[in-house]
Structures are given as C-alpha cells and as structure tokens.
Amino acid sequence: MEITGVTTTKVSNESWGEFVEFPLLTIMNKYDEYRNVDGSNPEARRKWMGPVGDVVVEIETDTDITGVGIANWATGAIATVIDETLSKLVIGEDPLQREKLWELMYRATLPFGRKGIAIDAISAVDTALWDIAGKEANKPVYELLGGPVKDEIPCYASNLHPVDFDTLEQEALEYVEKGFDTMKMRFRHGPEAGRAGMKENEKIVATVRDAVGDDIDIAADAYMGWTVRYAKKMTKRLERYEMAWIEEPVMADNIEGYAEVREAAPMPISGGEHEFTRWGHKDLLEKEAVDILQPDVGRVGGISEMKKIADMAETYDIPVIPHAGTNPTLHLIAASTNAPMAEYFPIPEWYKEQQDGDSTYADAIFENPPSPDDGMIPLPDSPGVGAELNREALEHFALE
Ligand SMILES: [Mg+2]
C-alpha cells in the first residue's frame, strides 16, 4: 500500500455555530476587548481565534481507501505545515507504517515544531493514517489498539456557559434528565474582576450544585484564566461544593504553578488540553501537576501519541479524560484501561430554541458526530475512525 496524495481543507470556525460566542472565562480575560463574561461581547473569541476552525486532511492511497484526520485552530498555519512539509514526507510511503511516519514527521519539524502548530499538523496526519489502517483491516480503530475494554463509553456533559443563572440552572437539570451523571461548567472571571468576580464564580458553581443535588459530579473549567495565587484562593472557596475537578486553572506553561495549585486545592486539578506530545505530558506527570490528564487527540500528535500518553499516565495512577470527545478520541477511550469517560458537548435546549431547531453547533462537517444515550456513547462499529465527512457542509464552510 502506498500514499499517493494528501489534501487539506481549511474550514471556517463558523462551522462551530455560536458556540464561540457563549460567555466564559478564557486566557484572554485580562484584556477588555477580548472578554465576554455575560454574552455582551459575542465577538470576543472570534477576534483572537482567527478564521480557521478546523483543518481536514485527507490521505489518498493506491487503493480505494482514503483516510481522514482533523486538527483545529491556528488560522491555516496547520494546513501550510501539512502541504509544504508533511505531505512530502509521507507521499510514496506505506501508510501502515505509522510509527516510522510519525517519527519522520516529528524529526523533520523539530526545528520549528515540538509544541503547537507542527504537532497539530502531525496529529491530523497520524489520525488519518489510523483511519486507513482500520479501513484496510475492516475494523474499528480500537480493535487495532488492543481491543475494547468497555462495552460503551460513559461521557460527561460539557457546556454550562454562564449565560445567566436561570438558564444555567435549567441547563444543569436538562443534563440530569438526559442521564448524564457528570457535567462541566465554565467560570466567568479571573483576577481582573476582583472579589466581586470571585463571588460570581462561586455563584456559578453553587447554582449548578443546588440544581443537580449531591449525586451528580460537577466540574468547572478556568481555561487558564487564573493566576496561581487566585487559583489557590478560588479553589479553597469552592471546597464545600465537592467538585469532581477544576480544569486548567493556570497557564499551560506554568507547570510548577499547576503543581502548587494542585498541592493546595481541596478538589482534583486537571489539565493537558494545551500540552503536546508524550514529552510535554511526561512533564505534567513527573512534576505532579495534575490529578487528571486531558490530552487532545488533535493536538498531542494523534492517536499514536495519545495511546502512549494514556499508558504512561497509568503508571502514575492518573486517569486520562481526553479533551473533546471527537470520533478518534472515542477509540482511544474504548481501548484504554485508565480513560474513564469522554467529553461531550451537548446542544442545550435554550440554544436550540434560539435557532428554531436549525443548529450548526460544532461537528457540522461530520455526518455522524458521537451521540450519547443516557450518558453513554455506543462503541463505534464502522471500520477506521468512523468520522464520515459531510461533503455539503465541508464545501459550505470551506475557506478559500
Ligand atoms: Mg477545557
């Protein structure tokens, strides 16, 4: 088998619907123009994210098999790395030699890579190679990863943007009704909002906890919008809500800071969605920075690297709850003994009503995004990764 072509399609972040306009605390909250605490500045995130939402890579072979992979963000630079560097390395090679191709790509991009865009690009190509391998074997990818260790994949509802407190309460109840036993909300404020902001952050958690009662696990995401000092104060303040985890309290590069917050916090601390490769995640583990590791298959280096990270995390007794429950991620969770659940981004009822049922919220470019029933996603059964592109949507949202 031989790779004959590699194509990339840049897809507008419009394909994510209004998701990016929902209020939440982000790494950019420090600056007024990029802050959207209550929905009144809906353009805030689009201003710094750039126009590209996804980069779709398709790898053609000398058979009728084509592999599909995806990476996100980075305004087209990911596509450039694939088009100008990675495609030249893989065309003419055997797509089933994934370990060799991964290393070729990693070594060739190292002078400008290691973290960020180059690894995003490798992630998309690697995932497409796994898709080819699964299709060639006529098996879902988890069968190639050692076989499933679970019959279905538990997932948690990840949304609960603080649009307003009544909506937050209703949305939390909606997820309980739909059978989710874990859910994650977003904070509004970082240190720039002072004590009043701390109070309001606490009100978000209190609202959700009061709505769902004691039997549901609740987590919250700070998207790197806090400092170490603030995170230590805020986590202490939230002790009585018995949270399942607090996510990304500080900047991804501040690994010592993570460890300091983790040491002080009464609840588990999670992170890793903005970390890259096994080397980056090894740092998080060795420095005891997190209680839960959250690698993203589109950022860490693809399915190959995710599997290595999950296995490494197991030796530290640290569970892996990957960022974003995309189709490739599900295979990894299915085949890993220490990946208890997937992240799932539900479309809340209030948003559907706003859209008259015509929602393009996330995953619009795929025919078959993961869909849970009673908080569980069935194991994918189609060969490969099982992410079927919706050609019409892809064309509609394609850039250039
Ligand atoms: Mg997150």
Side-chain angles (χ1 to χ4, degrees):
M1 207 176 187
E2 196 179 301
I3 296 173
T4 53
V6 178
T7 61
T8 53
T9 309
K10 290 180 273 186
V11 181
S12 162
N13 66 27
E14 297 286 333
S15 68
W16 297 355
E18 286 168 43
F19 171 71
V20 294
E21 297 177 8
F22 295 174
L24 81 166
L25 166 66
T26 76
I27 194 171
M28 300 293 277
N29 257 48
K30 232 176 148 173
Y31 297 97
D32 291 352
E33 59 179 310
Y34 296 110
R35 191 185 304 142
N36 181 20
V37 297
D38 55 8
S40 60
N41 186 12
E43 284 306 306
R45 267 206 286 171
R46 285 212 165 92
K47 274 192 226 164
W48 59 272
M49 282 170 50
V52 177
D54 303 308
V55 177
V56 174
V57 57
E58 293 177 79
I59 298 187
E60 288 145 24
T61 65
D62 58 355
T63 70
D64 57 358
I65 295 172
T66 298
V68 177
I70 190 168
N72 321 106
W73 292 40
T75 65
I78 296 168
T80 303
V81 172
I82 295 172
D83 294 341
E84 293 184 357
T85 304
L86 305 187
S87 65
K88 291 181 175 61
L89 295 166
V90 302
I91 288 174
E93 294 281 341
D94 179 351
L96 301 180
Q97 293 183 331
R98 294 179 298 279
E99 285 291 309
K100 176 190 166 190
L101 295 182
W102 200 95
E103 199 182 28
L104 279 181
M105 295 189 286
Y106 176 73
R107 285 176 179 255
T109 56
L110 191 136
F112 63 89
R114 299 181 60 233
K115 289 179 194 265
I117 288 158
I119 305 298
D120 293 340
I122 292 173
S123 305
V125 172
D126 179 79
T127 299
L129 296 177
W130 277 95
D131 194 31
I132 291 171
K135 286 170 177 166
E136 212 267 334
N138 200 26
K139 285 178 177 168
V141 162
Y142 58 77
E143 294 287 3
L144 276 53
L145 288 167
V149 296
K150 26 183 109 60
D151 300 329
E152 48 189 350
I153 299 167
C155 59
Y156 73 90
S158 180
N159 209 321
L160 296 166
H161 293 73
V163 277
D164 64 68
F165 290 100
D166 288 341
T167 306
L168 198 60
E169 186 185 339
Q170 286 312 309
E171 197 183 318
L173 287 170
E174 182 188 321
Y175 298 146
V176 176
E177 249 166 59
K178 287 185 174 158
F180 293 99
D181 59 16
T182 307
M183 62 184 77
K184 187 172 83 191
M185 69 202 87
R186 273 77 185 156
F187 291 111
R188 264 186 184 168
H189 303 290
E192 67 287 337
R195 290 183 59 81
M198 279 193 157
K199 244 188 210 168
E200 209 166 57
N201 280 341
E202 181 177 353
K203 193 175 168 190
I204 290 167
V205 177
T207 300
V208 174
R209 176 52 86 206
D210 285 351
V212 303
D214 282 341
D215 296 334
I216 299 289
D217 276 324
I218 62 170
D221 196 340
Y223 206 111
M224 304 173 282
W226 294 347
T227 59
V228 172
R229 185 182 294 268
Y230 187 95
K232 283 161 83 172
K233 270 192 175 174
M234 198 68 237
T235 51
K236 199 171 165 204
R237 191 174 177 134
L238 295 173
E239 179 166 13
R240 65 193 172 109
Y241 302 100
E242 295 187 16
M243 300 175 73
W245 72 83
I246 282 186
E247 182 164 322
E248 292 203 295
V250 294
M251 300 274 276
D253 275 326
N254 190 1
I255 296 179
E256 285 76 13
Y258 254 103
E260 199 181 326
V261 174
R262 184 201 186 190
E263 178 77 30
M267 71 286 284
I269 296 296
S270 72
E273 78 173 71
H274 295 96
E275 191 51 78
F276 299 84
T277 76
R278 75 200 85 145
W279 291 282
H281 286 270
K282 179 167 163 260
D283 248 8
L284 288 172
L285 292 167
E286 273 184 346
K287 292 181 180 156
E288 302 188 347
V290 294
D291 297 285
I292 298 165
L293 208 56
Q294 298 171 304
D296 182 316
V297 73
R299 285 184 196 147
V300 289
I303 294 174
S304 299
E305 203 66 354
M306 277 286 266
K307 181 67 175 139
K308 288 170 183 167
I309 290 165
D311 291 344
M312 180 170 60
E314 186 158 37
T315 70
Y316 287 81
D317 206 12
I318 294 289
V320 171
I321 304 178
H323 175 240
T326 54
N327 290 66
T329 312
L330 298 182
H331 294 273
L332 195 280
I333 295 171
S336 295
T337 48
N338 67 324
M341 62 181 138
E343 180 167 24
Y344 174 70
F345 301 114
I347 306 173
E349 291 301 326
W350 64 263
Y351 181 73
K352 281 188 206 163
E353 276 164 30
Q354 232 178 53
Q355 301 294 302
D356 293 328
D358 185 25
S359 160
T360 56
Y361 182 88
D363 290 329
I365 58 166
F366 290 108
E367 293 282 3
N368 55 341
S371 172
D373 182 26
D374 209 19
M376 301 293 246
I377 300 173
L379 288 188
D381 53 10
S382 52
V385 165
E388 286 305 317
L389 289 169
N390 177 330
R391 293 283 163 192
E392 208 178 308
L394 192 64
E395 221 166 276
H396 175 76
F397 290 112
L399 293 165
E400 285 183 354

